[in-house]
Amino acid sequence: MTLNALGIYEKALPHDLTWKERFALVHDLGFNFLEFSIDESDERLARLDWSRHDRELFRQAMWSQRARINTLMLSGHRRFPLGSADPKVRQKALDLMSKAIDLAVDLGIRNIQVAGYDVYYEPKSLETRERFIENLETCVHLAAKKMVMLSIETMDDPFMNSLDKVVYIKSQIHSPWLQAYPDVGNLTAWPNNDIGRELETYIDNIAAVHLKDSQPVTPSSPGKFREVPFGDGTVDFEACLRIFARLKYSGSFTIEMWSQQEPNPVACVKEAKAYFDALFRKVGIEQESIE
């Protein structure tokens, strides 16, 4: 049996909860941690400017409920991309990362997920790729100084849609503080990916894993990368988890889902948790105990 922590994405839980209530729910639902979101909304970007007092209150709420945060999903770089043609936007992207690293240190977060987009709302080019790599290198140096891991997620975008591409970018930036964050849904949706080979080849670079279902990219469809109910997509979760178990992967898994707008988001999360509990037992993965 391999032993892994299992977390839940913040956006899967009801929005109208206090932090204490949210962390209590994470614990009561049987998860080891919460994945914290800094997305492109003004509301969540404002978290990067929390005062020392705000951070103290947040930590107290987390610790009082015996919860923790393993990973911070920094998707705010969609709005302010590292590869932007606008130097002001690029500087904003670097500022976001610097603040995110400091917030991670203060909140005890171990790993920041880096969205693998050179740009999102702008045209892509060789220049956007080069600027992304140059600025990512700056980010890695900032993170290394504070001993915070940055992990590039495999995306719903051709720029970084495979572990091959993530690890190639890693070869341009020599640091143990830059790793990979594969999303098995995103990997599966792209038809050219050999998922088994990629997981086996790059297991030493994988710091965390997203569990998410998806529908494939085809000549007639752009695919569907979000809000696909588990089991309704084409991800072979049992096979992927068997590979992780055989390779003795000991990092964390996060169930990534968006159920805040559902009539009963807690019921949706319970259903997803039961789905993966059964798969974990079947393939020989033991979840870290809930204290």
Side-chain angles (χ1 to χ4, degrees), residues 114-162:
V114 179
Y117 302 117
D118 52 347
V119 291
Y120 190 77
Y121 299 111
E122 301 178 31
K124 295 175 178 292
S125 69
L126 187 59
E127 283 293 323
T128 61
R129 176 186 183 276
E130 180 60 21
R131 286 190 290 263
F132 172 83
I133 296 173
E134 290 175 358
N135 288 312
L136 178 61
E137 183 174 25
T138 299
C139 292
V140 172
H141 291 323
L142 292 172
K145 290 177 182 178
K146 302 292 179 69
M147 301 187 75
V148 173
M149 183 70 71
L150 302 185
S151 300
I152 304 174
E153 185 176 23
T154 54
M155 304 307 294
D156 54 351
D157 180 284
F159 179 72
M160 199 75 67
N161 60 358
S162 69

Side-chain angles (χ1 to χ4, degrees), residues 252-267:
S252 64
F253 293 100
T254 298
I255 295 177
E256 186 181 19
M257 56 190 298
W258 296 262
S259 48
Q260 287 183 341
Q261 306 306 318
E262 296 292 331
N264 191 340
V266 173

Side-chain angles (χ1 to χ4, degrees), residues 53-186:
H53 181 61
D54 293 332
R55 298 175 193 215
E56 288 175 349
L57 292 177
F58 182 91
R59 289 199 306 266
Q60 289 170 11
M62 178 170 57
W63 294 342
S64 72
Q65 301 306 311
R66 297 170 293 170
R68 70 177 192 262
I69 300 175
N70 278 15
T71 49
L72 185 161
M73 187 187 289
L74 186 58
S75 52
H77 277 149
R78 288 183 9 152
R79 180 175 169 188
F80 301 103
L82 292 167
S84 175
D86 185 338
K88 292 181 180 179
V89 173
R90 296 198 302 274
Q91 185 57 54
K92 177 71 171 180
L94 292 173
D95 292 343
L96 292 183
M97 180 60 81
S98 179
K99 290 179 179 182
I101 292 166
D102 287 340
L103 184 64
V105 170
D106 289 345
L107 302 185
I109 299 172
R110 298 153 177 79
N111 187 10
I112 296 175
Q113 172 260 336
V114 179
Y117 302 117
D118 52 347
V119 291
Y120 190 77
Y121 299 111
E122 301 178 31
K124 295 175 178 292
S125 69
L126 187 59
E127 283 293 323
T128 61
R129 176 186 183 276
E130 180 60 21
R131 286 190 290 263
F132 172 83
I133 296 173
E134 290 175 358
N135 288 312
L136 178 61
E137 183 174 25
T138 299
C139 292
V140 172
H141 291 323
L142 292 172
K145 290 177 182 178
K146 302 292 179 69
M147 301 187 75
V148 173
M149 183 70 71
L150 302 185
S151 300
I152 304 174
E153 185 176 23
T154 54
M155 304 307 294
D156 54 351
D157 180 284
F159 179 72
M160 199 75 67
N161 60 358
S162 69
L163 283 169
D164 283 327
K165 291 180 179 179
V166 172
V167 175
Y168 181 77
I169 293 295
K170 178 177 164 57
S171 75
Q172 306 301 301
I173 302 171
H174 301 284
S175 174
W177 299 100
L178 180 64
Q179 297 295 348
Y181 196 146
D183 179 312
V184 295
N186 292 345

Side-chain angles (χ1 to χ4, degrees), residues 5 8 20 36 49 58 96 135 147 153 156 172 180 213-214 230 234 251:
I8 185 67
K20 187 173 182 179
F36 191 62
D49 294 311
F58 182 91
L96 292 183
N135 288 312
M147 301 187 75
E153 185 176 23
D156 54 351
Q172 306 301 301
D213 217 337
S214 64
F230 294 109
T234 57

